[in-house]
């Protein structure tokens, strides 16, 4: 079967982001960019399926600006067979990404689409669910384990009460949680091999999708700095502060 792994280029999780002076967004100038960590887990899961003989081909797909090719090359170095970039300079929101991915999926006809449960830049946690709705496919979110057998995907996900197991008939959409796997270290030989793997460039226009923004960002602010903690002498002092200062009881 064919598996599509969707990936997004985001500010590296080690970077302390700064808000622009005009509060219109986050300053990404001259900062390190990398693959969204949840998407990296999704790619690793897809590649492991291929290594186990479950999948015949893994296609990495990304939507964004031209530098997103670097993110696709990372996915190819992990083990994806080829890449597809839907190139656009538009600011993409979850619904637009879902529409673009749905157009790619209809063309590629995979049996499984796997992507991160959320991106660490907007934390929307919406794209996978929207994609499933647009395609009319079954979905499982926050997967911590995936088993594929005879046209069925068995998904284990963590819930408040323990573990929940879902069975989906393929084709299906799955979003990856942190506990699904630990992505492999990308070696230099695989990075060199990735440079020779094909990457197709598409545009929203060729896919017949209008990536217009439907949400407007009014203002972006840094979170309020937390006050330092204090120690109290005993329980009575703690209760007094909770009641008279914090006013939570």
């Amino acid at each position: 079967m064919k598996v599509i792994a969707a990936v997004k280029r985001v500010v590296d999780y080690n970077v302390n982001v700064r808000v622009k002076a005009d509060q219109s967004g986050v300053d990404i100038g001259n900062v390190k960019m990398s693959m969204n960590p949840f998407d990296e887990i999704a790619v690793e899961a897809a590649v492991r399926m291929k290594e186990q003989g479950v999948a015949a081909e893994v296609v990495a797909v990304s939507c964004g600006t031209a530098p997103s090719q670097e993110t696709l090359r990372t996915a190819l170095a992990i083990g994806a067979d080829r890449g597809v970039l839907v190139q656009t300079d538009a600011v993409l929101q979850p619904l637009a990404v879902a529409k673009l991915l749905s157009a790619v999926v209809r063309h590629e006809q995979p049996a499984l689409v796997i992507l991160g449960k959320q991106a660490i830049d907007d934390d929307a946690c919406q794209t996978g669910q929207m994609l499933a709705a647009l395609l009319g496919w079954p979905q499982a979110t926050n997967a911590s384990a995936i088993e594929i057998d005879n046209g069925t995907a068995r998904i284990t996900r963590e819930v408040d009460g323990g573990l929940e197991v879902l069975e989906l008939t393929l084709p299906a959409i799955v979003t990856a949680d942190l506990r699904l796997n630990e992505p492999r270290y990308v070696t230099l030989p695989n990075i060199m091999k990735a440079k020779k793997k094909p990457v197709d460039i598409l545009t929203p226009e060729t896919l017949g999708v209008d990536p217009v923004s439907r949400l407007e960002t009014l203002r972006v602010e840094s979170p309020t700095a937390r006050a330092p903690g204090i120690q109290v002498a005993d329980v009575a002092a703690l209760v007094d502060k909770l009641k008279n200062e914090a006013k939570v009881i």
Side-chain angles (χ1 to χ4, degrees):
M1 70 177 188
K2 181 189 294 185
V3 178
I4 281 183
V7 299
K8 183 179 183 181
R9 183 175 184 261
V10 299
V11 176
D12 190 86
Y13 65 91
N14 289 311
V15 174
N16 291 323
V17 296
R18 301 183 304 274
V19 175
K20 293 180 180 179
D22 60 1
Q23 295 186 313
S24 62
V26 173
D27 185 7
I28 61 173
N30 299 318
V31 300
K32 181 181 179 183
M33 307 292 285
S34 61
M35 185 190 301
N36 177 47
F38 292 100
D39 293 342
E40 190 173 2
I41 292 170
V43 174
E44 176 68 25
V47 171
R48 290 187 186 186
M49 291 178 196
K50 182 183 175 184
E51 292 172 343
Q52 294 165 1
V54 175
E57 183 182 27
V58 176
V59 183
V61 181
S62 187
C63 305
T65 58
S68 294
Q69 287 193 54
E70 300 171 8
T71 306
L72 283 174
R73 293 296 176 189
T74 300
L76 296 176
I78 293 174
D81 298 293
R82 58 187 177 90
V84 176
L85 173 61
V86 183
Q87 186 171 320
T88 176
D89 292 328
V91 177
L92 296 176
Q93 295 169 349
L95 181 57
V97 175
K99 288 181 176 180
L100 293 170
L101 289 177
S102 68
V104 174
V105 167
R106 290 188 176 96
H107 174 72
E108 294 285 345
Q109 293 294 307
L112 179 68
V113 178
I114 183 168
L115 60 163
K117 69 171 185 176
Q118 66 194 83
I120 63 171
D121 51 1
D122 57 17
D123 274 332
C125 195
Q126 296 174 341
T127 303
Q129 293 89 326
M130 289 179 172
L131 177 60
L134 290 170
L135 293 171
W137 288 8
Q139 61 171 307
T141 59
N142 301 12
S144 59
I146 302 175
E147 299 176 25
I148 306 294
D149 182 39
N150 196 27
T152 300
R154 186 179 177 89
I155 309 299
T156 303
R157 58 195 302 269
E158 296 181 359
V159 295
D160 291 341
L163 298 177
E164 180 182 47
V165 179
L166 304 175
E167 285 193 358
L168 311 179
T169 301
L170 299 179
I173 308 295
V174 175
T175 68
D177 200 358
L178 282 174
R179 291 178 178 82
L180 180 57
N181 60 55
E182 183 176 347
R184 70 193 67 190
Y185 176 78
V186 179
T187 62
L188 181 59
N190 286 336
I191 293 174
M192 301 305 294
K193 291 178 183 177
K195 294 181 178 180
K196 298 180 181 179
K197 294 182 179 179
V199 174
D200 298 329
I201 308 296
L202 305 175
T203 64
E205 292 74 22
T206 59
L207 295 174
V209 176
D210 182 4
V212 62
S213 298
R214 300 181 183 274
L215 302 174
E216 180 184 358
T217 300
L218 301 180
R219 184 174 64 254
V220 177
E221 299 178 351
S222 297
T224 304
R226 295 181 60 182
I230 62 172
Q231 290 184 336
V232 294
D234 50 35
V235 174
L238 173 62
V239 172
D240 178 69
K241 288 187 177 295
L242 291 175
K243 182 177 180 180
N244 299 315
E245 293 186 16
K247 298 186 184 300
V248 294
I249 59 174

